[in-house]
Amino acid sequence: MTSAILAQPAAGQSGAVIETQTHPGQYRHWKLRCEGPVAHLIMDVREDAGLHPGYELRLNSYDLGVDIELADAVTRLRFEHPEVSVVVLTSGKDNVFCAGANIFMLRQASHPFKVNFCKYTNETRLAMEEATRESGQYYLAALNGVCSGGGYELALACQEIHLIDDRSSAVSLPEAPYLGVLPGTGGLTRVVDKRHVRRDLADVFATLAEGVKGQRAKEWKLVDAVHPKSQWSAAIARRAQELVKPGRPQRGIALEPLDKRREADRIDYSHVTLSVDRAARTARLELRGPHTAAPLPAEPAQAGSRWYPLALFRELDDALVELRLNFETIGVLTLHAQGDLDKVLAVDELLARHRHDWFVREVLLLMRRTLKRLDLTARSVFALVEPGSCFGGFLCEPALAADRIYMIDDPHQPTALALSPLNNGSFPMGNGLARLAQRFLDDPARVAALQLDTRPRFSPQEALAAGLVTAAPDSLDWDDELRIAVEERASLSPDALTGMEANLRFAGPETMETKIFGRLSAWQNWIFQRPNATGERGALSLYGEPASPEFDPRRT
Amino acid sequence: MTSAILAQPAAGQSGAVIETQTHPGQYRHWKLRCEGPVAHLIMDVREDAGLHPGYELRLNSYDLGVDIELADAVTRLRFEHPEVSVVVLTSGKDNVFCAGANIFMLRQASHPFKVNFCKYTNETRLAMEEATRESGQYYLAALNGVCSGGGYELALACQEIHLIDDRSSAVSLPEAPYLGVLPGTGGLTRVVDKRHVRRDLADVFATLAEGVKGQRAKEWKLVDAVHPKSQWSAAIARRAQELVKPGRPQRGIALEPLDKRREADRIDYSHVTLSVDRAARTARLELRGPHTAAPLPAEPAQAGSRWYPLALFRELDDALVELRLNFETIGVLTLHAQGDLDKVLAVDELLARHRHDWFVREVLLLMRRTLKRLDLTARSVFALVEPGSCFGGFLCEPALAADRIYMIDDPHQPTALALSPLNNGSFPMGNGLARLAQRFLDDPARVAALQLDTRPRFSPQEALAAGLVTAAPDSLDWDDELRIAVEERASLSPDALTGMEANLRFAGPETMETKIFGRLSAWQNWIFQRPNATGERGALSLYGEPASPEFDPRRT
């Protein structure tokens, strides 16, 4: 431990567990109101309901607790309210839309917490964009007041931004001038890569603490429309109605609470168990195969939120968030899948056959988001293909997301690994590539040669020859080889591993999404470590204090 | 100033000036031997000739001084030896190719110096790849011994890698396991994005300190060929001959020493002056237009290295490196071009007309590299279009690389800015886009609408309307507006500006090149700041010491 570690209560270590499951009945900061095809998602942050003590969430500023509710609402809208085609995101407070991430929260947060908070926020915003693009739920930001920093970054994640023209409401990114940090939850990237604001205007904008308002905000493309206060409500309502799309499914399914039991070093779900060994800095994530692969009802949605693949991936998603937030010292995650491979492949076939049904499609999209969350989880991931394991089709995809795959080669207990057509396009990474395609970046023909249509199964030696697994030790060597690999990994610098994995996992093209997690987040994380931001005389540390920051002037 | 600032002698502030101009007669670390179409570039580092005191360059390890000579050789080969089509890069020492960047040098270096050292090294390696791709000078790495860390990263920049098979020579990237940092000068990126090593094998390789040798190195695609020691020289010679391409120009031009006069706060070149105001943290970079635009000789290369556009950009390139290394506290660079716009455009026409001539082509490529260096210079750049200025065609390109362009609107002293066809494709950025195309990412038709074929000129109001300049203040406001803009900029956090500019300057696609400077370098810079690497108990700090590093185990 070093002096750079700040005062954040040690989440996950001393009882300060962060619970990431919620539902609208529990929301403290948001109101979700559905009126036929239009949903109103209203930010109305309770000042006194921060996730940690020590700060007040004034002016609709947010912390992780606010974003957990937003993420929940975005997911529920897709499953529970498929009839919605327009989501109007606005504020419940007068004259302020959102003041951004709470600065006093940021200041007291440890570096790892800051980084994980920003990552989660980014994932939530990308989920809003995915809902617009893939599920036809169009997000419209109705900025009914001042919108600064993370507030404007939230608006940027919407497909369309409307700003009230009341002579005072501006959009702004004051992070660099006020705090000495970046608009790092997508802001800089979306301004130039999504909205295509001209780079020099973006440069002026991102250094202009007071922001830009009215007609100029529209001219610079920072917003899509401005409306005078007198016409505001009518203009937003009219625009929402214009955007309504007919032909939506009319009945959703309830996302029931997860079956989740927490112990000190273990979380059990229906189909998933996460268990940690704090001393060894390892975690074991077990995914269990289905009991049955019964056909879907005529109306697939009637399968409900307990349908195996949906339940499994909701649990996996929650386990990954738990790991990040509540078990921060765990370095190596081993991934296991235990169950009946035949049944897994039968479920895989159901998913493929019904993939155009709205509900099954939403299940596949939730899987995709969960797998991206795994790609972005800063822990070394080794998938272990052991006797009784069932990595196949959609359930092989977490293994393909792992840094390494080890497969035991034991003639007495044969193991197999299976692929399916879903592995080639149903779960693209953030960079747009299927994990198999990225694995064989040198030669796209190798994916075709796997003949995924046949749902092929691979013995250890076949998997090794096909390049699907990293190593296939025999049963005599297995225990030692695995033990050494895990111990060695856990002994390396956690930071070097994070940086290494962030580079090796994302070979190939970059997209706006990967630029946010690569270019933008990496720079922001650097700045979060710099004395100019977080040192005793740094700008973030001194925000709101009478003293001015003092900068090391050397440009780097 | 904070405790994080290390003991690097303050380059550029106390006489410890780094001179970046050299020539083969002065090389201490490299031998360049040209034999017809094959050049031998032999690394033979002098242990006692480090750039700074305090470390010995053992085992062909390198510091910035070694790389300055390499960069010089790569450039000279293109201009002085165009007959060369194969460059064999090897070591002059037995049993060792290169041990990578010198760790004791890295340990004592300040953070800004580390970052600038890595950036320069990356630029040199990209220049080798550009020489292979654009100039038909094919780099072949002949690894005649151990090749680790930065040594292997240097090999990765070659088009082809041959490794001696002597039972001990391996390639390795031991940065993560030994030093707690990344193979950050292109290593991780090139392994998966250039050589397409499978991601899980890359993961194993980058954590295996002893590296991979012989046939396995070839199977994993880490090298292209292995040869037994007994056949080594013959195999390399044969392969070099196979790669020789006929039809090369037979006579190059000498790159004469730059006309460069250094004073305390000023460097004067023939066509460029860099002057700094340390108190204000600003620099003024003046580019001067040509005296004449005389036609090129029948053999254009006879114009020699004093030909205006070549001399100008060699000087500009040197000035940018000077700024980075020797003036690290300067935050804002104002860019000026003074001269006759007609003559600039006449030279621009010469460049365009003769662009297929090998020499003119090399001049254009050198301009391209220099402009990329400007894109990557971590200083805020404002271009000022003032009375008497001559930003036009190729000489408008530095302005298009600036963060902002200010153009005075003075009816008594009309100013103009001009474009030419060269602005649309002759100087692509690292991301492959012309700077004009990136400026108008929203609408490619806007570039076409500029009718570059006509070499159009723009008055201040026309330039403003066309989106070419950020602001066009009138002569009454000019001084105040500029003063405030520069002062404000210089007052902001140097780190926040670096991160902001690194994001806003690179909208649009990413390439392997931009991934190296974006994703990889940003993570490496973060790690260089982390106590796990550079803290008192960090792995880089303790390398070679009896004590083991102690890590903050929290994954971030």
Side-chain angles (χ1 to χ4, degrees):
Chain A
M1 297 288 185
T2 80
S3 61
I5 300 168
L6 302 186
Q8 175 69 22
Q13 297 191 323
S14 55
V17 167
I18 298 172
E19 177 53 61
T20 58
Q21 290 296 310
T22 185
H23 60 79
Q26 277 185 352
Y27 290 176
R28 291 162 302 177
H29 307 298
W30 293 87
K31 296 186 177 67
L32 176 57
R33 208 173 65 224
C34 293
E35 296 172 351
V38 177
H40 298 266
L41 191 47
I42 300 158
M43 189 176 202
D44 197 359
V45 176
R46 259 185 59 186
E47 291 191 5
D48 61 347
L51 198 58
H52 297 106
Y55 53 85
E56 292 191 335
L57 296 174
R58 297 215 181 124
L59 297 172
N60 260 4
S61 62
Y62 60 83
D63 68 357
L64 179 65
V66 178
D67 215 65
I68 285 171
E69 294 181 6
L70 174 60
D72 182 75
V74 172
T75 303
R76 275 182 205 280
L77 274 167
R78 298 169 78 163
F79 282 97
E80 303 192 343
H81 297 283
E83 76 280 6
V84 165
S85 59
V86 181
V87 183
V88 178
L89 199 155
T90 194
S91 151
K93 301 204 192 297
D94 285 338
N95 304 320
V96 58
F97 172 75
C98 169
N102 187 280
I103 295 163
F104 303 94
M105 174 278 293
L106 273 182
R107 183 191 297 171
Q108 77 179 47
S110 69
H111 182 72
F113 185 83
K114 272 196 205 75
V115 170
N116 276 307
F117 164 63
C118 291
K119 191 182 282 183
Y120 186 87
T121 312
N122 272 321
E123 289 169 326
T124 305
R125 288 165 191 180
L126 284 160
M128 290 163 54
E129 291 179 321
E130 196 213 48
T132 297
R133 194 177 58 245
E134 303 284 347
S135 301
Q137 293 192 330
Y138 194 98
Y139 278 74
L140 184 160
L143 312 182
N144 55 331
V146 171
C147 175
S148 66
Y152 181 56
E153 294 182 290
L154 176 60
L156 283 167
C158 297
Q159 200 59 16
E160 206 171 290
I161 306 177
H162 294 248
L163 174 63
I164 197 165
D165 191 357
D166 59 1
R167 296 190 183 171
S168 69
S169 294
V171 296
S172 65
L173 292 176
E175 284 89 342
Y178 277 167
L179 309 171
V181 301
L182 301 184
T185 46
L188 293 176
T189 312
R190 284 197 177 85
V191 164
V192 291
D193 272 307
K194 180 181 184 182
R195 297 195 61 88
H196 294 151
V197 173
R198 225 174 63 212
R199 57 170 286 195
D200 57 337
L201 299 179
D203 181 279
V204 173
F205 175 59
T207 53
L208 203 62
E210 70 268 30
V212 175
K213 59 194 176 206
Q215 212 50 42
R216 189 156 77 135
K218 190 177 168 196
E219 279 163 21
W220 287 19
K221 300 182 163 209
L222 299 167
V223 305
D224 295 287
V226 289
H227 310 285
K229 197 164 186 175
S230 59
Q231 297 162 31
W232 174 251
S233 304
I236 297 299
R238 192 172 56 242
R239 182 61 186 149
Q241 283 305 321
E242 282 170 13
L243 291 167
V244 165
K245 288 276 188 308
R248 305 278 308 170
Q250 286 304 309
R251 209 166 42 187
I253 64 145
L255 290 179
E256 295 168 76
L258 293 189
D259 178 13
K260 180 176 178 183
R261 294 171 305 282
R262 183 193 299 278
E263 293 173 41
D265 286 343
R266 180 183 182 98
I267 303 178
D268 281 295
Y269 306 84
S270 301
H271 310 291
V272 172
T273 294
L274 174 70
S275 52
V276 307
D277 178 339
R278 289 178 201 268
R281 299 188 49 245
T282 60
R284 177 188 164 90
L285 185 60
E286 183 180 293
L287 312 177
R288 287 179 289 278
H291 297 301
T292 67
L296 278 168
E299 181 78 49
Q302 288 174 1
S305 71
R306 303 267 180 222
W307 188 39
Y308 170 74
L310 174 54
L312 174 75
F313 273 77
R314 284 180 74 203
E315 292 170 2
L316 172 57
D317 195 54
D318 189 70
L320 292 172
V321 177
E322 285 277 351
L323 183 68
R324 288 190 195 167
L325 297 175
N326 293 325
F327 302 96
E328 35 175 37
T329 63
I330 300 302
V332 185
L333 179 67
T334 60
L335 200 58
H336 308 256
Q338 285 291 316
D340 183 334
L341 186 54
D342 290 327
K343 286 190 184 136
V344 170
L345 291 176
V347 170
D348 189 86
E349 216 175 317
L350 286 177
L351 284 162
R353 192 182 323 141
H354 295 279
R355 68 186 180 280
H356 299 301
D357 170 80
W358 81 266
F359 167 70
V360 175
R361 186 175 155 75
E362 284 301 336
V363 173
L364 289 165
L365 289 169
L366 183 138
M367 289 175 162
R368 181 200 290 197
R369 295 194 296 280
T370 301
L371 289 161
K372 286 181 181 177
R373 180 109 71 193
L374 180 54
D375 293 330
L376 287 167
T377 294
R379 311 299 165 102
S380 301
V381 183
F382 293 174
L384 306 191
V385 190
E386 304 151 308
S389 83
C390 61
F391 286 108
F394 71 96
L395 199 41
C396 196
E397 202 68 22
L400 293 171
D403 297 301
R404 302 182 189 174
I405 309 180
Y406 289 91
M407 187 169 184
I408 194 168
D409 188 2
D410 180 349
H412 303 297
Q413 295 182 292
T415 48
L417 188 144
L419 295 175
S420 85
L422 293 185
N423 297 117
N424 194 24
S426 291
F427 313 113
M429 301 173 59
N431 65 11
L433 295 182
R435 285 177 192 78
L436 267 187
Q438 199 226 28
R439 193 170 188 86
F440 303 124
L441 211 46
D442 57 332
D443 183 6
R446 291 181 69 177
V447 178
L450 294 170
Q451 299 189 286
L452 302 182
D453 284 344
T454 65
R455 290 198 165 71
R457 298 189 190 209
F458 300 84
S459 72
Q461 289 309 313
E462 288 165 345
L464 197 61
L468 293 173
V469 301
T470 315
D474 66 28
S475 46
L476 288 175
D477 295 335
W478 175 262
D479 285 348
D480 271 357
E481 185 159 340
L482 263 291
R483 184 182 49 76
I484 291 168
V486 170
E487 281 179 7
E488 275 185 357
R489 189 71 161 206
S491 76
L492 300 185
S493 160
D495 303 324
L497 290 175
T498 291
M500 187 185 93
E501 292 155 6
N503 281 277
L504 297 182
R505 290 177 183 174
F506 294 93
E510 298 265 353
T511 58
M512 189 190 76
E513 180 169 339
T514 62
K515 285 176 84 166
I516 289 173
F517 292 113
R519 184 178 281 274
L520 179 60
S521 295
W523 279 112
Q524 176 80 312
N525 294 352
W526 173 72
I527 290 167
F528 277 157
Q529 280 285 293
R530 297 281 288 163
N532 283 343
T534 54
E536 271 178 35
R537 315 296 305 163
L540 183 62
S541 306
L542 290 179
Y543 180 78
E545 305 285 329
S548 292
E550 286 170 27
F551 295 132
D552 171 354
R554 294 177 301 169
R555 269 293 204 123
T556 302
Chain B
M1 296 288 187
T2 79
S3 61
I5 299 169
L6 301 184
Q8 174 70 21
Q13 295 192 323
S14 55
V17 167
I18 299 172
E19 176 54 60
T20 59
Q21 290 296 311
T22 186
H23 60 78
Q26 277 186 352
Y27 290 175
R28 292 162 302 177
H29 306 298
W30 292 88
K31 296 186 177 69
L32 176 57
R33 209 172 64 224
C34 294
E35 296 173 350
V38 178
H40 297 266
L41 191 46
I42 300 158
M43 190 176 202
D44 197 359
V45 175
R46 259 184 61 186
E47 291 190 5
D48 61 348
L51 197 59
H52 296 106
Y55 53 86
E56 294 192 334
L57 296 173
R58 297 216 181 123
L59 298 173
N60 260 4
S61 62
Y62 60 83
D63 68 358
L64 180 65
V66 178
D67 215 66
I68 285 172
E69 294 182 7
L70 173 61
D72 183 75
V74 172
T75 303
R76 275 183 205 280
L77 275 167
R78 298 169 79 163
F79 281 98
E80 302 192 345
H81 297 284
E83 75 281 6
V84 165
S85 59
V86 182
V87 184
V88 178
L89 199 155
T90 192
S91 151
K93 302 204 191 297
D94 286 338
N95 304 321
V96 59
F97 172 75
C98 170
N102 187 280
I103 295 162
F104 302 94
M105 173 279 294
L106 272 183
R107 183 191 298 172
Q108 75 180 47
S110 69
H111 182 73
F113 185 83
K114 273 196 205 76
V115 169
N116 277 306
F117 164 63
C118 292
K119 191 182 282 184
Y120 186 86
T121 313
N122 272 322
E123 288 169 325
T124 305
R125 289 164 191 179
L126 285 161
M128 291 164 55
E129 290 179 322
E130 197 213 48
T132 297
R133 194 177 61 244
E134 302 285 347
S135 302
Q137 293 192 329
Y138 194 98
Y139 278 75
L140 185 159
L143 312 183
N144 56 331
V146 171
C147 175
S148 66
Y152 181 56
E153 294 182 290
L154 176 59
L156 284 168
C158 296
Q159 200 60 16
E160 205 170 293
I161 306 178
H162 293 249
L163 174 63
I164 197 166
D165 190 357
D166 60 2
R167 296 187 183 172
S168 68
S169 293
V171 295
S172 65
L173 291 177
E175 285 88 342
Y178 277 168
L179 308 171
V181 302
L182 301 185
T185 48
L188 293 177
T189 313
R190 284 196 178 87
V191 164
V192 291
D193 271 307
K194 181 181 183 181
R195 298 194 62 87
H196 293 151
V197 174
R198 223 174 65 213
R199 56 169 285 193
D200 56 337
L201 299 178
D203 181 278
V204 173
F205 175 59
T207 53
L208 203 61
E210 70 268 29
V212 175
K213 60 193 176 205
Q215 213 49 44
R216 189 158 74 135
K218 190 177 167 193
E219 280 163 20
W220 287 17
K221 299 185 163 201
L222 298 166
V223 305
D224 296 289
V226 289
H227 311 286
K229 196 163 184 173
S230 59
Q231 298 163 28
W232 174 252
S233 304
I236 297 300
R238 193 173 54 244
R239 182 61 185 147
Q241 284 305 321
E242 282 171 11
L243 291 167
V244 165
K245 287 275 188 310
R248 305 278 307 169
Q250 287 303 308
R251 210 164 43 185
I253 65 145
L255 289 180
E256 296 168 75
L258 293 188
D259 178 13
K260 180 176 179 184
R261 294 171 306 282
R262 182 192 300 277
E263 292 173 42
D265 285 343
R266 181 181 180 99
I267 304 178
D268 281 296
Y269 308 84
S270 301
H271 310 291
V272 172
T273 294
L274 175 69
S275 52
V276 306
D277 179 339
R278 289 178 202 269
R281 299 188 50 245
T282 60
R284 177 187 163 89
L285 184 60
E286 183 180 293
L287 311 177
R288 287 180 289 277
H291 296 301
T292 68
L296 278 168
E299 181 78 47
Q302 288 174 0
S305 72
R306 303 266 179 226
W307 188 39
Y308 168 75
L310 175 53
L312 173 75
F313 272 78
R314 284 181 74 206
E315 293 169 1
L316 172 56
D317 195 53
D318 190 70
L320 293 172
V321 177
E322 285 278 351
L323 183 68
R324 287 189 196 167
L325 297 174
N326 293 325
F327 302 95
E328 32 176 41
T329 62
I330 301 303
V332 184
L333 180 67
T334 60
L335 201 58
H336 309 255
Q338 284 292 318
D340 182 333
L341 186 55
D342 290 327
K343 285 188 185 140
V344 170
L345 292 177
V347 170
D348 188 86
E349 215 174 321
L350 286 177
L351 285 163
R353 193 182 324 141
H354 295 279
R355 69 186 180 279
H356 299 302
D357 170 79
W358 80 266
F359 167 70
V360 176
R361 186 173 154 76
E362 284 300 338
V363 173
L364 289 166
L365 289 168
L366 183 137
M367 290 174 162
R368 181 198 294 197
R369 295 193 296 280
T370 302
L371 290 160
K372 286 181 182 178
R373 180 111 70 195
L374 180 54
D375 292 331
L376 287 167
T377 295
R379 311 299 165 100
S380 300
V381 183
F382 293 174
L384 306 191
V385 191
E386 303 151 308
S389 83
C390 61
F391 286 108
F394 70 97
L395 200 40
C396 196
E397 202 69 21
L400 293 171
D403 297 300
R404 302 182 189 174
I405 309 180
Y406 289 90
M407 187 169 185
I408 193 168
D409 189 1
D410 180 349
H412 303 297
Q413 296 182 292
T415 48
L417 189 144
L419 295 175
S420 85
L422 294 184
N423 298 115
N424 193 23
S426 292
F427 314 112
M429 301 174 60
N431 64 11
L433 294 183
R435 285 178 191 78
L436 266 187
Q438 199 226 27
R439 194 170 188 85
F440 302 124
L441 212 48
D442 56 332
D443 182 7
R446 291 182 69 177
V447 179
L450 293 170
Q451 299 189 286
L452 301 181
D453 285 343
T454 65
R455 290 198 164 71
R457 298 189 190 209
F458 300 82
S459 71
Q461 288 310 314
E462 289 165 345
L464 197 62
L468 294 172
V469 301
T470 316
D474 66 27
S475 45
L476 288 175
D477 295 334
W478 176 262
D479 286 347
D480 272 356
E481 184 157 342
L482 263 290
R483 186 181 50 74
I484 291 169
V486 170
E487 281 178 7
E488 275 185 356
R489 189 71 162 206
S491 75
L492 299 185
S493 161
D495 304 324
L497 290 176
T498 291
M500 186 186 95
E501 292 156 5
N503 281 278
L504 296 182
R505 289 178 184 175
F506 295 93
E510 299 266 352
T511 60
M512 188 189 76
E513 180 169 340
T514 63
K515 283 175 85 165
I516 289 172
F517 293 113
R519 186 178 279 275
L520 180 61
S521 296
W523 279 111
Q524 176 80 311
N525 295 353
W526 173 72
I527 289 166
F528 277 157
Q529 281 285 293
R530 295 282 287 164
N532 283 343
T534 54
E536 271 177 37
R537 315 297 304 164
L540 183 62
S541 306
L542 290 179
Y543 180 78
E545 305 285 328
S548 292
E550 287 170 25
F551 295 132
D552 172 355
R554 294 176 302 170
R555 270 294 202 120
T556 301

